[in-house]
Amino acid sequence: MNSPGDSIDDIISLLNKHYHPITQQNQRHKPSIGSAMLPQIKQQINVLYAIPNTYNNNQDKYKRKAVSLNRQQQQKPQIKDTSSFLIPMTRCLTFKPYSGSTDIIINDVGYYYKFGSSPIKLVKGLLEENGFKESNDKNWTLYWSSCAIKSDVYTNLFAYQKVCHFPKSYEMTRKDLMHRNISKMQINNGFINFNFIPKTYILPAEMSYFLEEHEKIKNNNPIYICKPHASSQGKGIFITDKIQDILNKQNSNNSYVVSHYIDKPLLINNLKFDLRIYVAISCINPLRIYVYQDGLARFATEAYNSDNVKQNRFVHLTNYSVNKDSPNFVANQDPTLDYVGSKWSLLALREYLKLNKINEQQIFERIEDLIIKTIISVESAIFQACEMNVPFRSNCFSLFGFDVLVDSFLKPWLLEVNFSPSLNIDAPLDLKIKGEMLADLFTLIGIVPLDQRFSQDLSYVRNQSNYDSKKHQQEFEKYIIKETEEELKRSRGWKRLYPSDQSYRYTKYFESDRPLNALLRNYYK
C-alpha cells in the first residue's frame, strides 16, 4: 500500500499481520481476514448501506430549528480531502434522536447494549428505537455505565465494542483531583495560562495552608464555597464567610474542597446562572476532543444578593436538582421557546447575549480553551491507563459535563467536570437537547455494522512498534489521518476542538508529545 496501485493481496497481508496482536491480556483467537472479506475491503470508503437502525435522512433534519429566535449554527471546519489515501475504512452506524415513546417494538437484528449501572431512560430509549436490544451476555456492542468501569471489562474488549468511559477519567471529575491536576499545570506552565479555576484548598490535607492564607486576607471578609470532594447534584454544598463553619464541618471527618466564592457573577434578570457544556473525548491516542454546540443554561430561582451569603440555596446555587424544589422554579414546557423558564438552551443564551451586545464569541472561545487545557491536564494519566488495560484505541469514549460560571467581567470559571452528566429528561427541552446530543455522540464514535465487525483490522494501533517497516509506518499514519477525517464527517452537532489548526498552541502543555498528536498537528497546521 505504498501508492494507489498496490494489490488487494498486499492489503490483506498487512491486515492479517497486524489485526489483534496477541498480548498477555488478550489471548483469544481472532479471525483472520480471508477471501470472504474481499468485497468489504474493495468497497469505496464513503459508501453507506441501508441497514437496520440507520437512517439516511439529511442530517440537517436533526439540527435544532429555532422558532422564536433567528439564530445560526456555527459553521463546521472544512474537511480535508483524503480520497488519495487508499486506506480501507469501515462503515459506521448513524443514530436518530429518541422520540420519548415508551412503546418501542424491538426486532432482534444482532445489535445489543448493556448497562453497567442502573438503566437510563434516554440511553435505553434511544438505542432501542435505533434497533438495539438489551443483553446481559458478552455479545454487546455498547456498554453504558454511570459509574467507573471495572478493569476486567476493559481487558476483554473486542475491537468493535464501545464503553462509555476511559479508565482514570476520575482524575478530572473528582473535585479534589481536578483541582490538584490543574494546580500542577499552573506551577509547571505559568499561573496565567491556567487561571480558570477559583483558588482552592483540599481539606484536610491542606488545612494548615488554608488557615495561613485566610489569615492574610481575613480583613477583606472572604467568602468560601465548600463542596464534598466526591458529591454531585448540589449535595452537601454550603457557602460561608465564617471560618468556624468550615472547621466545624472538618471536625466531622468529612473531606471538602473549599474554594473562594465568585461573588460577582454575570446576571440575567438579576438571577445567577451557570452553563452545562457537553464535552466528548472520542479517542485518547491520538487525542480528539469535541464540544456540543448546544447545552443548558441553568438559573438560580431567587434574585442574587451577595451581602448575606447565608441566604437560602436558591440564591447562590444553580443546580437544577436544587432549584427544581423552589417555589419560584419555572419549568419549560415548550422546547421551541428555549429562552423561557429556569432552564434555557445554550443556543438561546448565546442569542440573548448577542442581542444585549455582550461578546458571547469571546466568552465561548475562552470556554473552549479551558476545556482543552483541563483535558490535557489528565491526558497522561488516561493514556497510560489505556495502554495498560484497553486492547484497542477505538474501545473507549467519554461524555463529560463541564459546569462553567461566567463572571461580570465575562471571564469563564470552571466549577467542576461531571463524570456522568445527567441524562434525565424531565422536560421537553431536556429531551430535545440531550436526545439530539446523544444521537450525535453515538454517530460520532463510529459504531460499526455487523458485517464489518472483524474488518477493523487497523484499529489496534496503540503499539506502533508492531509496524516493522517504513512502508507500514506510512500506511499507519495515513490510516490515522483518514480515521480522523472520517470521524469529523460524522460529527453533526459536535464541534471538534482538538486537533485543529490551533493545536500547536497546546503542545507545550502535554507531558509527552505523542507521535500521533504530532502527526495530526502537522497535518492541520
Side-chain angles (χ1 to χ4, degrees), residues 179-401:
H179 283 278
R180 186 166 293 155
N181 285 312
I182 294 179
S183 296
K184 187 188 302 182
M185 299 297 281
Q186 290 175 338
I187 294 170
N188 294 337
N189 299 286
F191 177 79
I192 193 172
N193 294 314
F194 284 80
N195 183 24
F196 52 77
I197 58 171
K199 189 172 180 61
T200 298
Y201 312 90
I202 301 170
L203 306 185
E206 298 178 346
M207 177 61 80
S208 297
Y209 176 53
F210 168 59
L211 294 175
E212 181 182 319
E213 290 295 300
H214 175 77
E215 192 66 23
K216 296 177 184 177
I217 60 173
K218 64 181 182 180
N219 293 334
N220 297 330
N221 298 317
I223 303 172
Y224 301 102
I225 182 166
C226 309
K227 305 176 182 180
H229 77 276
S231 69
S232 61
Q233 299 181 329
K235 297 173 184 174
I237 297 177
F238 67 96
I239 300 170
T240 185
D241 56 359
K242 302 291 189 298
I243 196 73
Q244 192 59 47
D245 292 342
I246 299 173
L247 296 177
N248 290 342
K249 286 288 184 180
Q250 195 56 49
N251 290 337
S252 64
N253 295 321
N254 292 320
S255 297
Y256 274 85
V257 174
V258 178
S259 302
H260 286 264
Y261 184 66
I262 300 168
D263 59 355
K264 291 182 173 58
L266 182 64
L267 303 178
I268 293 180
N269 300 326
N270 208 30
L271 297 173
K272 183 179 176 181
F273 67 94
D274 76 350
L275 308 178
R276 166 57 57 86
I277 310 290
Y278 295 109
V279 175
I281 303 178
S282 62
C283 186
I284 198 67
N285 185 31
L287 180 61
R288 294 197 290 261
I289 305 170
Y290 292 81
V291 63
Y292 202 62
Q293 297 191 71
D294 206 354
L296 295 168
R298 305 170 303 181
F299 288 82
T301 47
E302 292 198 14
Y304 183 75
N305 183 350
S306 62
D307 293 339
N308 182 359
V309 299
K310 289 194 174 181
Q311 294 181 49
N312 64 53
R313 290 153 62 89
F314 302 140
V315 173
H316 296 284
L317 300 185
T318 54
N319 308 66
Y320 166 74
S321 56
V322 171
N323 284 281
K324 68 179 181 179
D325 297 324
S326 167
N328 297 324
F329 181 81
V330 178
N332 183 297
Q333 301 296 340
D334 185 347
T336 65
L337 301 176
D338 52 356
Y339 54 92
V340 173
S342 298
K343 188 188 292 185
W344 293 7
S345 77
L346 192 63
L347 291 176
L349 177 87
R350 296 189 69 162
E351 187 67 21
Y352 174 90
L353 296 177
K354 287 180 187 177
L355 293 174
N356 286 273
K357 309 302 182 184
I358 296 174
N359 191 345
E360 56 87 27
Q361 182 175 349
Q362 181 187 76
I363 292 172
F364 282 86
E365 285 176 355
R366 291 174 175 176
I367 290 174
E368 291 172 0
D369 179 68
L370 73 81
I371 289 170
I372 296 171
K373 289 177 177 177
T374 300
I375 292 173
I376 289 175
S377 75
V378 299
E379 182 271 346
S380 182
I382 296 176
F383 175 87
Q384 292 173 21
C386 288
E387 286 285 290
M388 292 177 60
N389 297 290
V390 183
F392 301 97
R393 285 188 315 104
S394 57
N395 284 142
C396 299
F397 67 98
S398 280
L399 171 67
F400 299 104

Side-chain angles (χ1 to χ4, degrees), residues 136-205:
N136 289 320
D137 295 329
K138 295 182 179 180
N139 59 344
W140 47 266
T141 296
L142 182 67
Y143 184 96
W144 189 275
S145 177
S146 298
C147 52
I149 297 174
K150 296 180 180 179
S151 59
D152 64 318
V153 174
Y154 288 119
T155 56
N156 290 304
L157 290 170
F158 289 97
Y160 68 87
Q161 292 179 308
K162 303 281 187 181
V163 296
C164 69
H165 295 299
F166 288 92
K168 297 204 81 170
S169 297
Y170 60 80
E171 289 280 346
M172 184 169 63
T173 58
R174 249 183 56 175
K175 296 178 180 66
D176 55 343
L177 297 181
M178 182 195 82
H179 283 278
R180 186 166 293 155
N181 285 312
I182 294 179
S183 296
K184 187 188 302 182
M185 299 297 281
Q186 290 175 338
I187 294 170
N188 294 337
N189 299 286
F191 177 79
I192 193 172
N193 294 314
F194 284 80
N195 183 24
F196 52 77
I197 58 171
K199 189 172 180 61
T200 298
Y201 312 90
I202 301 170
L203 306 185

Side-chain angles (χ1 to χ4, degrees), residues 67 85 101 143 208 211 359 381 434 452:
V67 174
F85 296 175
S101 172
Y143 184 96
S208 297
L211 294 175
N359 191 345
K434 297 176 184 179
Q452 297 228 337

